[in-house]
Amino acid sequence: MRVLVAEDERDLARLVAIGLRRAGFAVDTVHGGDEALERMDLYAYDVLVLDRDLPRVHGDEVARRLVAAGSPVRILMLTAATAVEDRVEGLDLGADDYLGKPFEFPELVSRVRALRRRSARPALPPLLERGGLLVDTVRRTATRDGRDLDLSPKEFSVLQILLEAEGAVVSAEELLERAWDAHADPFTGAVRVCMSKLRAKLGEPVLIRTLQGVGYVL
């Protein structure tokens, strides 16, 4: 759900970020291995899309340090080296998946989704149900009582987080951290606006309750 793209080719990093955001992910980008490690210290990412040939701190060293620190992030390593021995070496360093350049973008999105499903809550099923809601986290579709919900990627992400909480309260801060990127301003009311639109699309009776000063519960 939250992805860090570490890629020194800035145009490629920008295109990957745009595509992943359209697929419903919150995405940040960095262009060096040192920056990747700094961001990993600050934020909880589900997936790291890691270019192997990064400047300052090599991608191999980034993967090695994250594994040594016990980081739960899933690593998708990107590289122009596609020989079998290169793939084996990358996986042995601790990468969870490996994709050679050039790549087809739908495959990248699919691999990131698969890694995200493995990262946070592997026991959760791909179909989430509650109060007449049926959410398919693989196909990214949502219905309520058989009615299709035309949700934006951000609305879908927020709904998925609430469903995965299984009745527990989710704070606005947690929603902002997990569904928005690092540049989101916590004082803009983005969560409140998104929640208002989501409630309108879900219809009656109201499924999402607001607990003042605490958060939201479905």
Side-chain angles (χ1 to χ4, degrees), residues 35-55:
E35 297 173 89
L37 291 170
E38 289 171 4
R39 284 296 182 94
M40 294 297 301
D41 282 339
L42 292 173
Y43 302 102
Y45 291 98
D46 296 296
V47 177
L48 170 62
V49 178
L50 178 66
D51 178 31
R52 192 170 186 183
D53 297 315
L54 287 175

Side-chain angles (χ1 to χ4, degrees), residues 91-196:
L91 293 170
D92 283 345
L93 286 167
D96 298 280
D97 201 357
Y98 197 96
L99 188 60
K101 298 177 182 178
F103 52 82
E104 296 294 331
F105 197 79
E107 182 180 6
L108 173 66
V109 172
S110 180
R111 287 173 182 261
V112 170
R113 281 180 176 159
L115 288 177
R116 189 267 162 188
R117 289 195 298 271
R118 289 165 50 191
S119 66
R121 301 187 181 206
L124 287 175
L127 292 177
L128 302 174
E129 297 183 70
R130 190 179 183 90
L133 282 174
L134 179 62
V135 171
D136 187 325
T137 62
V138 177
R139 294 180 175 85
R140 296 188 67 78
T141 59
T143 62
R144 182 178 186 185
D145 298 326
R147 173 175 59 89
D148 288 335
L149 303 174
D150 184 20
L151 303 181
S152 70
K154 194 69 66 184
E155 292 160 357
F156 187 95
S157 295
V158 168
L159 181 59
Q160 181 177 345
I161 292 169
L162 292 172
L163 280 166
E164 289 179 346
E166 299 179 325
V169 177
V170 181
S171 68
E173 291 78 12
E174 182 178 353
L175 288 171
L176 196 66
E177 180 179 338
R178 294 179 59 188
W180 276 262
D181 61 34
H183 300 290
D185 185 343
F187 301 106
T188 61
V191 174
R192 178 177 50 80
V193 172
C194 180
M195 198 65 68
S196 176

Side-chain angles (χ1 to χ4, degrees), residues 12-89:
L12 178 58
R14 180 178 57 83
L15 291 174
V16 169
I18 290 172
L20 288 174
R21 288 181 185 124
R22 287 175 178 170
F25 294 98
V27 185
D28 296 318
T29 59
V30 294
H31 308 295
D34 53 341
E35 297 173 89
L37 291 170
E38 289 171 4
R39 284 296 182 94
M40 294 297 301
D41 282 339
L42 292 173
Y43 302 102
Y45 291 98
D46 296 296
V47 177
L48 170 62
V49 178
L50 178 66
D51 178 31
R52 192 170 186 183
D53 297 315
L54 287 175
R56 296 185 293 279
V57 178
H58 195 273
D60 289 358
E61 181 61 20
V62 172
R64 190 178 292 111
R65 291 188 194 179
L66 291 174
V67 171
S71 172
V73 72
R74 298 294 185 177
I75 300 173
L76 172 58
M77 189 171 280
L78 301 179
T79 182
T82 56
V84 172
E85 55 269 25
D86 294 310
R87 293 199 299 270
V88 170
E89 185 178 359

